[in-house]
C-alpha cells in the first residue's frame, strides 16, 4: 500500500508574510495567431506566469503548479486567437479559476516577430525583427491586457551635431564663404554627430478590448528614432540611413516624446488606457547608456500632446 506524501506546500510558513508573485519563468510555447485574410502567424513565445500567495500558505505547489500552468498555457495557445494579448488574458483567467488560494494571476509573453519590408534606396526585399510584448493580469475586478513591442533603430546626438555645425560654419567663414551660402549648405548637408543604436519600447495596457494594432505600435516605435535600420543594406541604403539620421538628430528624451505624439495621432484609445514609452540608447562615445521613459494614461497624454493646459 503506497504511503501518501505530506503536502508541505499547504502548511503554514514560519514567517507569515504574503508574496505578490510566485510562479515560473522561461516557459516556451508555440503560439498561433489567426489572421482573417492571410496565413496565421506562428510564434515561438516565452512565458512568465505568476500568482499571489497568501501569508498562511508556505508554497504554491511548484511541481503541481507547473502542471497546471502547462495545461493552462496549452489550452490558451490551442484556442483560436487573433491577438497575442488575448492568449495571455485567457491563461490568466484560467489560472485564477484553478487556484483557490490566490486572488491575482499574471501571464507575460515575449516573442520575436518578423516584418517584411523593402530597403529605402535600393528597393530590395528584406526582413526586420521586433520583440512582441504581451501580458495580462486577472483578479476579482476583471482582466487587464497589455500589448506592445520593442524595436531597434538609430539616433544621432543633437549636441554633438551642434558642435560640428559650429566648427563647419567657422571654417567656411575663414575660407571666405558668404553666410547666405553657409546657411544653405548646412541646411542641405547635416553635419556629423555621434550616433547610437536605439531601443524603443511601446506598450498599451487597458481593460476590455481596445483597437490596438500591433503593426501600428511597431511603426510608431520605429519612426520615433532618428532613422530606421534594415537587415539588408546596399551602399545607397547605408547612405540613406546615415543622411536621414543626421537630418533628424534626437536626444533620448525626444524619442519618447515622438512616441507620445505618434500614439496620439495614430490610435483612438480609452482615456484610462496606460501607455508606456521607453527609449534606451547604446552610446558610442561614452561607457554609459542613455535612458528615458514615460508612463501615462492616454487621456492625459492626449492633453499634453495637444497642448491643453500648457
Amino acid at each position: 500500500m503506497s504511503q501518501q506524501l505530506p503536502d508541505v506546500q499547504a502548511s503554514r510558513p514560519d514567517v507569515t508574510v504574503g508574496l505578490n508573485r510566485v510562479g515560473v519563468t522561461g516557459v516556451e510555447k508555440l503560439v498561433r495567431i489567426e489572421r482573417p485574410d492571410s496565413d496565421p502567424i506562428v510564434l515561438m513565445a516565452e512565458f512568465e506566469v505568476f500568482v499571489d500567495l497568501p501569508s498562511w500558505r508556505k508554497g504554491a505547489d511548484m511541481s503541481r503548479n507547473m502542471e497546471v500552468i502547462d495545461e493552462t498555457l496549452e489550452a490558451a495557445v490551442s484556442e483560436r486567437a487573433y491577438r497575442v494579448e488575448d492568449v495571455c488574458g485567457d491563461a490568466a483567467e484560467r489560472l485564477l479559476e484553478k487556484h483557490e488560494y490566490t486572488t491575482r494571476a499574471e501571464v507575460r509573453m515575449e516573442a520575436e516577430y518578423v516584418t517584411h519590408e523593402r530597403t529605402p534606396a535600393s528597393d530590395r526585399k528584406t526582413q526586420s525583427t521586433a520583440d512582441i510584448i504581451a501580458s495580462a493580469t486577472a483578479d476579482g475586478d476583471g482582466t487587464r491586457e497589455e500589448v506592445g513591442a520593442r524595436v531597434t533603430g538609430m539616433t544621432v546626438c543633437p549636441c554633438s551635431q551642434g558642435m560640428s555645425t559650429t566648427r563647419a560654419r567657422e571654417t567656411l567663414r575663414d575660407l571666405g564663404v558668404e553666410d547666405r551660402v553657409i546657411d544653405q549648405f548646412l541646411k542641405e548637408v547635416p553635419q556629423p554627430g555621434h550616433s547610437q543604436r536605439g531601443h524603443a519600447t511601446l506598450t498599451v495596457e487597458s481593460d476590455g478590448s481596445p483597437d490596438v494594432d500591433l503593426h501600428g505600435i511597431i511603426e510608431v516605435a520605429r519612426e520615433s528614432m532618428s532613422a530606421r535600420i534594415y537587415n539588408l543594406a546596399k551602399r545607397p541604403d547605408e547612405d540613406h540611413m546615415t543622411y536621414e539620421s543626421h537630418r533628424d538628430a534626437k536626444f533620448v528624451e525626444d524619442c519618447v516624446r515622438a512616441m507620445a505624439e505618434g500614439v496620439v495621432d495614430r490610435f483612438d484609445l480609452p482615456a484610462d488606457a496606460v501607455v508606456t514609452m521607453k527609449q534606451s540608447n547604446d552610446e558610442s562615445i561614452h561607457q554609459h547608456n542613455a535612458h528615458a521613459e514615460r508612463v501615462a494614461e492616454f487621456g492625459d497624454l492626449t492633453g499634453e500632446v495637444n497642448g491643453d493646459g500648457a
Side-chain angles (χ1 to χ4, degrees):
M1 183 176 180
S2 61
Q3 183 178 4
Q4 186 174 2
L5 298 176
D7 187 0
V8 179
Q9 301 280 5
S11 64
R12 189 176 183 84
D14 296 332
V15 180
T16 53
V17 172
L19 303 178
N20 297 111
R21 305 169 90 210
V22 177
V24 295
T25 63
V27 182
E28 294 183 336
K29 294 287 180 184
L30 279 176
V31 177
R32 179 186 173 100
I33 304 299
E34 303 289 344
R35 293 188 291 179
D37 302 318
S38 186
D39 293 333
I41 300 170
V42 179
L43 304 169
M44 188 66 215
E46 184 171 304
F47 287 88
E48 295 180 348
V49 181
F50 303 102
V51 296
D52 63 342
L53 192 69
S55 60
W56 50 264
R57 187 178 178 91
K58 189 176 184 67
D61 295 319
M62 199 59 71
S63 59
R64 283 184 294 168
N65 198 40
M66 184 58 220
E67 183 179 358
V68 172
I69 288 169
D70 193 70
E71 290 175 355
T72 300
L73 288 180
E74 280 292 335
V77 300
S78 297
E79 292 287 335
R80 193 177 184 90
Y82 290 90
R83 308 188 314 165
V84 287
E85 61 268 37
D86 288 342
V87 175
C88 295
D90 185 30
E93 290 168 1
R94 290 171 184 264
L95 282 170
L96 198 62
E97 292 175 1
K98 288 178 177 290
H99 290 76
E100 71 281 357
Y101 56 81
T102 193
T103 60
R104 191 170 187 267
E106 298 177 51
V107 177
R108 180 181 176 85
M109 185 204 88
E110 288 199 15
E112 190 173 68
Y113 180 65
V114 176
T115 59
H116 298 273
E117 300 179 310
R118 303 194 74 90
T119 53
S122 63
D123 196 33
R124 303 288 186 90
K125 288 183 179 180
T126 186
Q127 296 180 355
S128 294
T129 56
D131 294 324
I132 294 177
I133 302 167
S135 69
T137 302
D139 57 23
D141 296 326
T143 303
R144 286 187 68 86
E145 295 180 346
E146 176 190 43
V147 65
R150 182 170 53 250
V151 304
T152 303
M154 180 178 178
T155 61
V156 171
C157 175
C159 185
S160 173
Q161 186 181 58
M163 291 185 286
S164 295
T165 300
T166 298
R167 182 184 298 107
R169 183 181 297 278
E170 292 173 350
T171 300
L172 290 170
R173 279 176 177 166
D174 290 343
L175 292 173
V177 181
E178 297 179 1
D179 283 348
R180 175 183 58 81
V181 177
I182 293 174
D183 291 340
Q184 184 177 356
F185 172 79
L186 294 177
K187 182 179 180 180
E188 296 296 328
V189 184
Q191 294 305 291
H194 77 83
S195 61
Q196 308 110 344
R197 176 171 289 186
H199 308 278
T201 302
L202 173 60
T203 66
V204 176
E205 177 188 356
S206 65
D207 295 317
S209 302
D211 185 16
V212 184
D213 174 44
L214 185 56
H215 281 274
I217 286 179
I218 292 173
E219 284 299 302
V220 169
R222 283 181 173 158
E223 291 296 328
S224 68
M225 290 175 273
S226 296
R228 299 168 69 127
I229 60 175
Y230 301 83
N231 286 339
L232 171 67
K234 304 292 287 183
R235 289 181 66 186
D237 302 311
E238 293 176 353
D239 178 64
H240 175 91
M241 287 184 280
T242 302
Y243 178 82
E244 288 299 319
S245 62
H246 284 79
R247 193 173 64 88
D248 191 19
K250 288 180 177 177
F251 290 120
V252 66
E253 299 93 336
D254 295 323
C255 296
V256 174
R257 290 175 173 132
M259 268 190 275
E261 185 177 41
V263 168
V264 171
D265 287 345
R266 185 151 188 159
F267 298 111
D268 182 16
L269 302 173
D272 62 350
V274 177
V275 183
T276 299
M277 300 155 288
K278 299 179 183 180
Q279 178 72 27
S280 295
N281 291 344
D282 301 335
E283 293 283 359
S284 59
I285 64 171
H286 305 296
Q287 290 188 342
H288 60 263
N289 295 324
H291 182 85
E293 63 180 78
R294 174 69 191 278
V295 179
E297 291 190 347
F298 182 72
D300 295 335
L301 202 63
T302 300
E304 290 186 47
V305 169
N306 293 334
D308 298 345

